[in-house]
């Protein structure tokens, strides 16, 4: 994968993105997630288990590092 400084780098950038869980593969510890822009990626979920459909995760370098709480209405 190539580093793109204007968008952040998957390997060395200090940036995480919010993704929503669409599908869970519990056996492999993965989730298919989608960004607000519609981009999809597979994410490793071991650090934030348990994960449920619809959860909002903070993801860095393909690994979920936190689960985001829903805003109170």
């Amino acid at each position: 994968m190539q580093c793109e400084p204007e968008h952040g780098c998957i390997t060395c950038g200090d940036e995480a993105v919010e993704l929503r869980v669409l599908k869970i593969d519990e056996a492999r510890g993965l989730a298919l997630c989608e960004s607000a822009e519609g981009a999809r990626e597979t994410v490793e979920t071991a650090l934030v288990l348990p994960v449920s459909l619809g959860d909002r995760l903070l993801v860095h370098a393909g690994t979920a590092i936190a689960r985001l709480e829903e805003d109170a209405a």
Side-chain angles (χ1 to χ4, degrees), residues 7 17 28 31 41 58 61-62 64 66 68:
H7 299 107
V17 294
R28 295 176 36 200
E41 69 178 272
L58 192 59
L68 300 172

Side-chain angles (χ1 to χ4, degrees), residues 21-67:
V21 176
L22 300 176
K23 186 176 181 180
I24 301 168
D25 182 343
E26 290 182 26
R28 295 176 36 200
L30 301 173
L32 175 63
C33 298
E34 185 174 61
S35 70
E37 295 79 25
R40 292 183 175 191
E41 69 178 272
T42 301
V43 173
E44 198 280 324
T45 59
L47 297 176
V48 296
L49 290 175
V51 175
S52 300
L53 294 177
D55 280 356
R56 292 174 28 228
L57 304 176
L58 192 59
V59 177
H60 177 70
T63 301
I65 57 174
R67 185 176 18 264

